[in-house]
Amino acid sequence: MHITVPRTSFLQHVQRCQNIVEKRSPNAILSNLLLRASNETLEIVATDLQIGVSSKVHIHIQDEGEITISAKKLFDIVKELDVDSDVELKTESSFMEIKSGRSKFRLSTLPAIDYPGIPEQDTDFSIQFEGKDLATMIGATSFSMSTDETRKYLTGTLFEISPEQGLQLIATDGHRMALVGTLLDQNVEACRAIVPRKAVAEIKKICEETQGQVTLSLGKRQVRLDAGEHSLTSKVIDAKFPVYQDVIPSDNPEEAVVDRIRMDQILRRSMIVANEFTHDVRLQFSNNSIQVSAHNTEQEQAEEFVEADYTGKDVSIGFNGRYLRDVLSAVQTERVRIQFKDELSPVLILEDGSDASKYVVMPMRI
Amino acid sequence: MQQPTLSHQTILHADMDAFYASVEARDNPELHDKPLIVGGNATQRGVVAAANYIARTYGIHSAMPTKTALKLCPHVMLLPPRIKHYAEISQHIRAIFARFTPLIEPLSLDEAFLNISGSLKLFGSAEHIGRSIQQAIKKELNLPVSIGIAPNKFIAKIASDIDKPHGFVCIAAEEVQSFLDPLPIERIWGVGRVTTQRFAKANLHTMGAVRCLTKEAATSLLGKHGGHFWKLAHGIDERPVVPEHKAKSISHETTFSVDIKDREILSAWLLDLTEQVMRRVRQKKFKGRTIHLKLRFDNFTTITRSHTLKHSTDVTQVVWQAVQQMFEKHLPPQQSIRLVGMGMDGFGHVSEKQAELFEAPELKKQRTVDHIVDHIQTRFGSNILKRGSSHKK
């Protein structure tokens, strides 16, 4: 293999792929990237056996061929090269020579034939979607995914497509849940997949960098994203997602509307003296105000009022303050609606003027 | 010969003298000079939780069945335990300890290790600190305590025990060997009847005799624990004092005065221990994943078995099911048991107060039960309310 590629675009593609490479894999070849040069195209492939990413770039090829090389070393080297230079890559027996300007490196390689590669596409249904919008939807839900490996089915985000609801993303750690949805202007079939945490993060990054539409495909075993030069394939979590519809309260009688930024500031201040592990804060809803208070085991306290549109009965509810702050950061509108029943029932937080995003937070007993 | 080194810490072991009995005698001065035991009812297979020193002259000791105690001394005063009351007093005792060091490791309501190494500059000599604690407990609570001070936990515990009641024994680093050498080897923790016989066969009767062996000889004579005994005989014990808030596990165990074979009774004891442990787990707002079961057989072999749950929990019923299964699996039929214990670790910091979105209704019910039981036990003492089968013990 012998190719020449502009440093800037090469770096971008290498970076995209090396993100998913396991830093310390017992299988040495999994620390490598696969470079495949043919038909005036360089394809860079990375996989951790769960997720595979492929990135294609148009280049000038002197000699076609394929080889694998350490992802980290290649990335670290290309990163340090002159910004405007070209990078020349040439295989020499079991090594690869990297030249750029006056710099010259020689890295060891492993044969491409041993590389596991990316599985064939195995999905049932695809939709086209604006990349930036998908990134926003992921950003508005992914914080609710669980990190508890004992509840595997909660460690991903549910991607659900249905004719009635369009595309919905749902994430929950068992204490709070985030749901965002958007209707689709294309005919769709019902399908769903739990996409693992790491793939969710990579899909978001690719979507953020993509101008225009992406193709999202869901299958029983696989999820796939095609976005311009990049494509990502991931195994899905083979488990049953909880019946999330059952925990979205539909008849919470009370509603308080409050300024989002102001509420967040008050929570941030109050939590300075909240219990450092449980972050519990108390929200006391009363006529036209919410009193936010927190205290810790050393008897330190915080207390502050925020104006709110509220005319219901007096209710006091405990929360993990972090859960509330996560929701307030995810929501886009100036004001938010907080709907509740009593101190122990699920609380629903909605954007002002739209029910497309739903955030359910379970209270804490106080 | 290898010469092990001694670390220079100052560890204080405080052990209340016949704690429950002393509290009862203090609260009922007319009982002051009478034999007195605190414990369970004789008709319900209760055991002696504490015996005052007069009762002990009749041969009564703690963990003995109440029935036996009444036989030994028919006119002994039997009082039911008031755990909540003792727990309050225990809090006061800990507050006294805390005046001298934050490094307190309570072993139970009536016993604790204190690391006072860092307190010597501030409060004066170890002896002065020990005397101050003993006097404060006498003056503020009118209760007797025995104190042992030594370079490590092992020696401090022996020291507090050797001159009970009102004991006060201070062993300096250079006195360790002369203190330990003449002691009978039964003083070493973990040495039971069988091991004692093994020592005796090897003509080893004192700690000094064990010390004079080489480490290799100790291992070959005394088996896999030989190295451990040899270290103890040299006064080496490197276990640190672990303050309770840093504890990585919570456990309880109980030793029977007579070996028990009846599985139902053993199971009842285990349930009681499980309830106590889980109550502490909930008090600390922990949820644990790993459950430990400890069984010591009549031949003094001890087995510990662990089980890791799929999810962290603080629900007594969930843990109890796992404990029961382990117990059934690991206890051979017809095996007599000398000690049972259970513990939990693998704690995360999810608040127990945080409500769950997808909780099974059954689990929700169990959690409510725990909540109510905890509340009642906190108000009225832990003996007022128990799960059905723990009554059998």
Side-chain angles (χ1 to χ4, degrees), chain A residues 247-276:
Chain A
V247 297
I248 302 173
S250 56
D251 54 353
N252 276 354
E254 310 291 354
E255 179 180 278
V257 186
V258 64
D259 185 277
R260 178 173 67 91
I261 305 276
R262 189 140 169 67
M263 185 71 191
D264 190 48
Q265 283 168 344
I266 291 173
L267 282 170
R268 197 168 65 215
R269 281 196 285 269
S270 306
M271 280 164 64
I272 296 170
V273 297
N275 181 303
E276 58 178 320

Side-chain angles (χ1 to χ4, degrees), chain A residues 302-319:
Chain A
E303 216 176 85
E304 189 163 350
F305 284 91
V306 56
E307 329 58 76
D309 291 351
Y310 183 67
T311 51
K313 59 177 183 189
D314 285 10
V315 178
S316 180
I317 310 179
F319 289 102

